[in-house]
């Protein structure tokens, strides 16, 4: 039952200037801006110009406006469901804000040197800022928000080479698209599980993710060294597995959130990974064989170990015992991931004639 003791306007909101750091926390990134400015985009120029036109059209410029559905107190969402949802909002907000910072800095550093790319990054930063702001307002509905200005100064930045940024951001945007669209489709069929109006925005939201992914696909395919060499095949395999493993661990940590939507977390994880893997065939020289009988079995084992490590960390057991137990769990996870990395991949260049 919704509380009527107070209104959303007079509830105190706690401001956070830092977030818990762990393996799954979204990072802030920086890169080699000089190399980014000198990328030869000639082979992808036509696709990038088309994407720039789409970004300028700004189809979602009127979309991220909170309607009257938000104007209530959300005290009826309590317990583990509330905690899991706030964690989802926080990580999503940090992830979107991380993209904003990276794209904004790329735009600033490339201005005057690679004008088309600088403008594209500025427009992507615009989208990411909208997303982060919208999520932060959603957090405020639950009496907490992130101080994004202070967070910018306090967080450490991880350096990624330009090539890694292109691989990683492409996958981040495409897996984000599939997360949003699959939740949207599920709630269309089961509106009784739509417990908060944020989900009403997911259809248009995922289109932003899809456009951003297409931009990074054009960047990737404009660089033959990123898709037409033996090294590119190894890197593609590495980033696909890294992103999919991170997704599995994160989704299984948020089982309560997905249950509150009426979703099975394990099946949702499988569906998102499978669709993202298939989509990646349009950009990467290889994709993973997710139909291999070992693939999801080993990912699930990694996710289970991650949950055990969280339980151990929260226990009152002696530190030595905690350390030894974690070492064995980490070793098992590393072993499973190495085994998955060694599985035979699927050559997408041979499939190009069948991919639409």
């Amino acid at each position: 039952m919704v509380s009527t003791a107070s209104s959303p306007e007079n509830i105190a909101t706690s401001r956070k200037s830092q977030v818990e750091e762990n393996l799954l926390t979204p990072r802030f990134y920086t890169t080699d801006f000089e190399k980014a400015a000198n990328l030869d985009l000639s082979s992808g120029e036509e696709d990038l110009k088309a994407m720039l036109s789409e970004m300028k059209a700004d189809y979602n410029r009127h979309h991220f406006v909170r309607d009257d559905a938000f104007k209530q107190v959300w005290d009826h969402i309590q317990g583990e469901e509330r905690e899991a949802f706030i964690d989802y909002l926080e990580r999503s907000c940090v992830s979107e804000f991380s993209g904003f910072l990276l794209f904004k800095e790329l735009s600033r550093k490339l201005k005057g040197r690679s004008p088309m790319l600088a403008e594209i990054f500025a427009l992507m930063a615009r989208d990411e800022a909208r997303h982060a702001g919208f999520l932060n307002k959603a957090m405020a509905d639950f009496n907490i928000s992130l101080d994004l200005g202070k967070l910018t100064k306090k967080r450490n930045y991880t350096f990624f080479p330009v090539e890694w940024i292109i691989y990683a951001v492409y996958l981040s945007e495409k897996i984000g698209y599939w997360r949003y669209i699959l939740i949207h489709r599920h709630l269309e069929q089961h509106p009784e599980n739509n417990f908060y109006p944020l989900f009403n925005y997911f259809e248009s939201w995922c289109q932003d993710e899809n456009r951003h992914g297409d931009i990074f696909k054009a960047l990737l395919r404009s660089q033959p060294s990123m898709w037409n060499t033996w090294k590119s095949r190894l890197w593609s395999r590495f980033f696909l597995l890294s992103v999919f493993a991170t997704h599995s661990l994160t989704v299984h940590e948020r089982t309560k959130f997905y249950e509150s939507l009426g979703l099975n977390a394990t099946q949702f994880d499988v569906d998102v990974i499978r669709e993202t893997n298939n989509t990646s065939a349009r950009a990467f020289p290889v994709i993973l064989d997710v139909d291999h009988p070992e693939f999801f079995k080993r990912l699930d084992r990694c996710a289970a170990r991650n949950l055990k490590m969280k339980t151990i960390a929260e226990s009152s057991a002696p530190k030595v015992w905690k350390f030894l137990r974690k070492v064995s769990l980490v070793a098992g996870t590393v072993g499973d991931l190495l085994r998955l990395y060694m599985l035979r991949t699927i050559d997408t260049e041979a499939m190009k004639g069948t991919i639409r």
Side-chain angles (χ1 to χ4, degrees), residues 69-87:
F70 289 94
K71 296 179 179 178
Q72 57 176 296
V73 178
W74 299 95
D75 290 350
H76 57 292
I77 303 174
Q78 289 293 337
E80 292 184 12
E81 288 79 9
R82 185 184 184 94
E83 183 179 339
F85 186 44
I86 291 174
D87 176 69

Side-chain angles (χ1 to χ4, degrees), residues 9-239:
E9 289 77 14
N10 58 26
I11 294 177
T13 299
S14 172
R15 299 273 286 174
K16 294 181 64 176
S17 60
Q18 59 185 23
V19 296
E20 180 186 353
E21 293 278 1
N22 59 50
L23 181 65
L24 303 180
T25 304
R27 299 287 189 261
F28 286 3
Y29 294 98
T30 186
T31 191
D32 184 341
F33 299 107
E34 182 70 21
K35 187 169 184 178
N38 290 318
L39 288 174
D40 179 3
L41 305 175
S42 55
S43 64
E45 187 173 3
E46 185 177 343
D47 288 339
L48 288 169
K49 284 182 176 178
M51 295 309 304
L52 177 57
S53 295
E54 280 200 28
M55 296 295 289
K56 284 181 176 179
D58 196 8
Y59 299 114
N60 282 337
R61 61 185 176 277
H62 302 306
H63 182 72
F64 293 100
V65 178
R66 285 161 59 92
D67 58 24
D68 290 343
F70 289 94
K71 296 179 179 178
Q72 57 176 296
V73 178
W74 299 95
D75 290 350
H76 57 292
I77 303 174
Q78 289 293 337
E80 292 184 12
E81 288 79 9
R82 185 184 184 94
E83 183 179 339
F85 186 44
I86 291 174
D87 176 69
Y88 172 82
L89 293 173
E90 181 178 287
R91 290 194 194 182
S92 298
C93 183
V94 173
S95 179
E96 299 282 358
F97 190 62
S98 170
F100 161 74
L101 291 175
L102 175 64
F103 298 156
K104 188 70 175 176
E105 190 65 6
L106 278 164
S107 174
R108 188 177 72 84
K109 293 291 179 66
L110 271 56
K111 190 174 183 180
R113 303 189 60 186
S114 183
M116 178 177 63
L117 205 51
E119 188 172 8
I120 288 174
F121 281 126
L123 294 173
M124 284 198 290
R126 171 203 68 195
D127 293 345
E128 300 291 300
R130 282 178 185 161
H131 299 170
F134 205 74
L135 287 161
N136 214 13
K137 287 180 181 177
M139 289 178 64
D141 288 341
F142 295 85
N143 312 330
I144 191 168
S145 66
L146 291 173
D147 189 330
L148 297 175
K150 289 185 178 179
L151 191 63
T152 304
K153 299 174 183 178
K154 289 189 174 185
R155 291 292 298 279
N156 293 324
Y157 285 70
T158 301
F159 178 85
F160 262 22
V162 172
E163 294 85 357
W164 294 12
I165 290 289
I166 293 174
Y167 285 127
V169 176
Y170 169 78
L171 283 171
S172 174
E173 299 290 351
K174 287 301 184 180
I175 205 168
Y177 166 80
W178 282 110
R179 278 197 299 262
Y180 287 126
I181 197 63
L182 289 177
I183 290 175
H184 165 74
R185 291 172 183 173
H186 168 74
L187 292 178
E188 270 193 326
Q189 297 176 359
H190 302 280
E192 69 277 7
N193 294 125
N194 190 341
F195 64 83
Y196 183 69
L198 174 71
F199 305 118
N200 299 333
Y201 294 74
F202 273 18
E203 183 178 21
S204 293
W205 197 317
C206 75
Q207 297 308 323
D208 282 346
E209 305 287 321
N210 203 34
R211 272 189 289 273
H212 293 185
D214 286 343
I215 288 168
F216 276 87
K217 172 197 167 187
L219 285 174
L220 192 155
R221 298 302 290 192
S222 74
Q223 308 301 307
S225 64
M226 294 192 65
W227 63 271
N228 199 25
T229 67
W230 65 270
K231 288 183 180 179
S232 67
R233 293 171 177 268
L234 294 179
W235 282 120
S236 297
R237 181 191 304 209
F238 172 80
F239 279 102

Side-chain angles (χ1 to χ4, degrees), residues 309-345:
M309 284 192 284
K310 285 177 66 69
T311 301
I312 291 168
E314 295 166 359
S315 74
S316 57
K319 289 184 178 181
V320 174
W321 183 88
K322 285 185 178 182
F323 174 77
L324 293 174
R325 190 71 183 97
K326 283 185 178 181
V327 166
S328 66
L329 292 170
V330 169
T333 294
V334 170
D336 275 331
L337 293 178
L338 284 174
R339 180 69 182 87
L340 289 175
Y341 185 80
M342 297 305 294
L343 291 179
R344 180 175 295 180
T345 54

